[in-house]
Amino acid sequence: MHTEILKADREGILAAAAVLRRGGLVAMPTETVYGLAADGLNPEAVREIYRVKGRPQDNPLILHIASLDSLFPLVKTGPESERALRRLSGRFWPGPLTVVLPRSGLVPDVITAGGPTVAIRMPSHPVARALIEAAGRPIAAPSANLSGKPSPTTLRDVTDDLSGLVPAILDGGDCAVGVESTVIDLTRRPYDVLRPGGISREALSDALGEEVGDASRPRDGAPPRSPGMKYRHYAPATPLTGLVGSGEDSLRYLSSLPRAEAMAAVVFDEYREAAEALGYRVLAYGREADHDSHARLLFRTLRQADRLGADRIYIQISPERRGRGDAVFNRLSRSTGGDLVYLAGK
Ligand code: AMP
Ligand code: MG
C-alpha cells in the first residue's frame, strides 16, 4: 500500500478526513503520542486498527472527541460522575486525560473489547482537533506503534512503523507531552487512575477535591483494570535495563560494569560527558529533575538507542513519582520487562 505523508494544512486535514470517512486509517499527531485513527463508529474500520498494529483483541481503544457535547451520546452518567466529569473536563480538556464511563448503545463492541465501559478523551493538538471536527464523528485512536514497540512521538518514528500499512500519515512534527494520556475510572468511587500519563494523580485529586486512587499497579494475581497494562509494551528490540536512583548512584553503577564500548546509556543531561568518558554510546533525555523532558523524549530516545547497535541499553530512571515522573516510571517498568536495578543505599 502506498502511504501518503500529508502536510497538516487545511488541504491535508480534509484529505485525511475523507480517508477516515470511507473507513480508512490515518496516523495523526496528538499532544501525547501519534495515534492510529479510524472512524470510531465504523466497526470494520476499527477492526483494521487491530489488524495493522497486531493489537490483542481484548485491549480496548480510546474514542477521541473535539467537543464536550459529542461525549454525552456515547456514555451513561449519573449526577456524581457527571459532576466529576465536568470538573475534570473544565480543568484538563482539551488535554492528556482520558475518562472511563459506562458506555451507551452507540459505541461499537470492538471499541470496548466487549466491555461495559468506554474510554474517551479530548485531545488538545490543533491538528487532531481539526481532523476530528472535519471527520464529524468520534475517532478511535490507539498509539500508532506496532503492538509492543515504543509509541511514536515523531514523524520518523510513525513512518518507520506504518509506512506501507496505512493510506495516510499526517505530519504534525514532534509530540509535546511524549507519553500517553492518564486514564481515570469514573465508574465507581473512589475514582482511580488506571494508567498514569500526562496529567498527574495529584492534579486530578486537586481538581476533584478528593483523593484519587492508584489502580495502575494491581496486586499480584488481580487482573489489571486497564487491559493494556498486561502486555509487554513500549520495548526497544535491544535488551533494556533500568537504573532506579539518583544520577550519581547510577553513574557509579555504570562505571562498575565491564565492556562499556558495546553498551548504550540513556542518561540525565548532567551525566552525558561522564558516561561518554566511560565508553558508553550515550543519549540524554533531560536534566535529572525535569520529568516533563523525560516524558517528552522517552519513546523517541528508546527508538534512537535501538539504532546504536549496542548489546544492551542502560537507562537512568528517577525514583521521583511527582508530575510526569509516575508515567515515565510506569512506561519504563514495562519497556524493561521489569529489569530494574534499585540503587538507593547501594
Ligand atoms: P493506547 O491508545 O495504545 O494507549 O491504548 C489505550 C489504553 O486505554 C488501553 O490499553 C487500555 O489500557 C485503556 N482503556 C481503553 N478503554 C478502556 C476501558 N473501557 N476501561 C479501561 N481502560 C481502557
Ligand atoms: Mg499504545
Side-chain angles (χ1 to χ4, degrees):
M1 181 185 291
H2 171 70
T3 298
E4 200 166 352
I5 310 292
L6 297 168
K7 271 198 6 202
D9 54 14
R10 194 68 210 149
E11 197 184 327
I13 287 166
L14 289 178
V19 172
L20 292 176
R21 275 201 303 269
R22 62 170 184 264
L25 303 189
V26 175
M28 68 168 181
T30 82
E31 72 278 21
T32 57
V33 304
Y34 272 81
L36 181 55
D39 176 347
L41 301 182
N42 175 346
E44 275 307 309
V46 175
R47 265 191 281 280
E48 184 70 1
I49 292 180
Y50 285 87
R51 197 187 62 76
V52 164
K53 279 183 60 98
R55 184 179 179 95
Q57 298 285 335
D58 61 350
N59 191 359
L61 304 177
I62 296 171
L63 283 180
H64 293 69
I65 55 172
S67 74
L68 196 55
D69 289 345
S70 39
L71 175 137
F72 292 101
L74 302 170
V75 299
K76 294 183 204 142
T77 51
E80 273 185 47
S81 62
E82 182 161 341
R83 189 169 353 106
L85 173 68
R86 288 197 184 274
R87 285 194 175 162
L88 294 176
S89 62
R91 180 91 67 105
F92 301 112
W93 275 4
L97 177 68
T98 295
V99 298
V100 171
L101 287 163
R103 67 191 274 200
S104 77
L106 201 62
V107 178
D109 277 343
V110 60
I111 293 286
T112 69
T117 61
V118 62
I120 300 184
R121 170 165 114 82
M122 189 192 296
S124 66
H125 196 294
V127 175
R129 291 174 65 76
L131 180 60
I132 297 164
E133 271 166 14
R137 62 203 73 187
I139 296 297
S143 50
N145 52 292
L146 299 178
S147 232
K149 296 196 12 167
S151 306
T153 56
T154 68
L155 180 67
R156 183 203 161 136
D157 293 345
V158 72
T159 308
D160 277 355
D161 275 19
L162 294 182
S163 192
L165 297 178
V166 297
I169 297 175
L170 262 174
D171 178 5
D174 297 349
C175 301
V177 176
V179 291
E180 294 83 352
S181 58
T182 301
V183 179
I184 185 171
D185 183 358
L186 298 182
T187 64
R188 64 191 203 193
R189 236 162 154 175
Y191 305 126
D192 283 321
V193 164
L194 304 185
R195 173 179 78 179
I199 306 286
S200 70
R201 200 156 59 85
E202 308 90 84
L204 295 172
S205 303
D206 185 59
L208 289 171
E210 64 186 71
E211 183 73 7
V212 172
D214 179 4
S216 68
R217 281 170 273 178
R219 270 164 286 144
D220 286 343
R225 281 159 59 195
S226 179
M229 306 301 271
K230 68 180 177 224
Y231 297 103
R232 176 180 152 81
H233 207 335
Y234 315 117
T238 315
L240 178 70
T241 299
L243 306 177
V244 185
S246 71
E248 242 170 71
D249 284 345
S250 58
L251 185 73
R252 200 170 308 122
Y253 184 89
L254 288 173
S255 68
S256 73
L257 295 172
R259 292 187 63 244
E261 66 282 359
M263 304 293 180
V266 177
V267 300
F268 307 132
D269 292 355
E270 295 93 322
Y271 297 89
R272 179 192 276 278
E273 274 148 39
E276 274 166 0
L278 291 170
Y280 289 90
R281 306 168 196 186
V282 179
L283 297 169
Y285 75 137
R287 296 187 62 81
E288 183 161 6
D290 189 350
H291 302 301
D292 287 353
S293 175
H294 304 161
R296 185 165 47 83
L297 299 178
L298 175 65
F299 288 137
R300 79 192 68 169
T301 307
L302 291 180
R303 284 174 178 257
Q304 257 178 300
D306 241 351
R307 298 194 285 264
L308 295 175
D311 295 335
R312 178 170 294 276
I313 305 164
Y314 292 91
I315 183 166
Q316 294 188 327
I317 305 176
S318 167
E320 279 278 349
R321 305 289 183 84
R322 274 178 303 110
R324 290 186 182 145
D326 202 19
V328 171
F329 193 92
N330 168 274
R331 301 306 185 275
L332 278 168
S333 11
R334 313 282 311 287
S335 311
T336 57
D339 184 7
L340 297 173
V341 182
Y342 286 85
L343 296 162
K346 280 195 184 169

